[in-house]
Amino acid sequence: MDSILRRNARYHFDYGRQSRPASQPGGATSRFGRSVEIAVIDFHTHSAASDGALSAGDLLNRAAREGVGRVAITDHDTIAGYLSVCQSVPSGLELISGVELSCQWGRVGIHIVGLGFDPASTAMVRHLKGLDKARQDRAEKIAHKLDRSGMPGSLSGAMAVADGAQIGRPHFARWMVLAGHVDSEEIAFKRFLGRGKPGDISLLWPALDATVATITAAGGLAVLAHPLEYKMTATRLRALMDAFRDAGGVALEVINGRPKPGDTDTLWRLVRERDLRVSVGSDFHRDSPYGAGLGVDVSAIPEGTGVWEHL
Ligand code: AMP
Ligand code: MN
Ligand code: MN
Ligand code: MN
């Protein structure tokens, strides 16, 4: 229990340790000398309305209990979780609207986090309706592929697992385990659902620029989620940055879950090069030995860089 808790601990970003120029003195307090009102933020979390384990209400209660000051529920292609709790936020916690939108840049699937938008905006409502249909269509295609790989009945199976949530590959993975086709969800992804595998259906999401434009039209800020997860060359990644910024994107997610050593430095370099802002989030789905706990301590992030200063 104790070791799970420790491994599932909140990620603490130490900007000083990562990037402080050699001449700057160290210290426990921010070298930027501001009083930090809200030091723990989480702008990337999932509820059971997509592929998270906790109901949106349980997620908020847990965030409040664990001292998170501001949170966004960023479910994949749905705001149903957010809408179910936005009128009943625990005291001491601030909830902002959020979503993690699936989109396409060329042939690559990209995730854009939208923050602080008007959930009733026609542009957003229409966009989400299109994504509901895209996910339903994709689920049918995945089921067809799994059928051909000797796993019939996966559509109804995955839909039963999803239980009304926005359907995604994790629901298929869970069903594959329950139906005895694979020993773990990890193996389901490795063999059937992951990048380049039969159940990885590409070329169906809306374009990146239309996605960023929707968030902006709805009055929100667009954040490029986990930029290093797309496994691009440095050149491609810079081209993605340019496309994202040209479309109106404002921030890169410099902390997603538990970054690997060096990742945060790489992302800060990109942020500075492109004059972008930063966002942070745990990408919490469930308690897991590899994932991060809720909340990111942002007290060491330089003033003027956080997307939270604009929300
Ligand atoms: P989808 O949005 O339907 O394309 O599903 C992508 C989601 O699957 C991600 O947001 C992760 O939560 C989850 N996922 C991706 N890769 C893996 C993996 N290798 N093992 C388990 N879950 C994964
Ligand atoms: Mn997910
Ligand atoms: Mn993602
Ligand atoms: Mn996510």
Side-chain angles (χ1 to χ4, degrees), residues 29-39 298-301 303 308-309:
T29 52
S30 166
R31 71 187 171 96
F32 302 93
R34 70 185 159 125
S35 65
V36 179
E37 282 171 28
I38 292 175
V298 297
S299 50
I301 290 186
E303 194 170 353
W308 46 89
E309 293 176 38

Side-chain angles (χ1 to χ4, degrees), residues 7-12 40-47 54 59 62-63 66 68 70-74 100 113 225-226 229 253-259 279-288 290-298:
R7 277 183 293 167
N8 201 41
R10 165 177 305 153
Y11 182 74
H12 180 101
V40 181
I41 285 177
D42 201 329
F43 283 172
H44 194 148
T45 67
H46 293 272
S47 79
L54 303 183
L59 186 68
R62 179 152 165 173
E66 296 185 355
V68 177
R70 298 183 85 188
V71 69
I73 299 172
T74 57
E100 182 174 15
V113 165
H226 41 68
E229 247 179 56
E253 199 173 62
V254 295
I255 293 164
N256 174 277
R258 307 188 69 77
S279 187
V280 298
S282 61
D283 211 348
F284 181 87
H285 286 71
R286 57 183 44 75
D287 282 314
S288 117
Y290 314 108
L294 285 172
V296 177
D297 185 330
V298 297

Side-chain angles (χ1 to χ4, degrees), residues 91-116:
S91 69
L93 182 66
E94 187 186 345
L95 175 69
I96 67 161
S97 60
V99 69
E100 182 174 15
L101 296 175
S102 307
C103 71
Q104 202 87 32
W105 182 61
R107 299 180 66 87
V108 192
I110 302 286
H111 288 173
I112 305 286
V113 165
L115 298 172

Side-chain angles (χ1 to χ4, degrees), residues 49-50 75-81 83 99-102 123-141 155 159 164-168 172 204-206:
S50 67
D75 278 313
H76 299 285
D77 304 328
T78 178
I79 56 171
L83 290 176
V99 69
E100 182 174 15
L101 296 175
S102 307
M124 182 59 76
V125 170
R126 194 182 310 127
H127 194 91
L128 290 171
K129 207 170 273 176
L131 284 167
D132 282 345
K133 173 143 178 26
R135 280 199 171 258
Q136 200 57 46
D137 290 350
R138 182 181 72 148
E140 285 166 26
K141 288 182 182 154
L155 184 59
M159 284 177 71
Q166 182 64 286
I167 191 138
F172 280 91
L204 98 160
W205 305 117

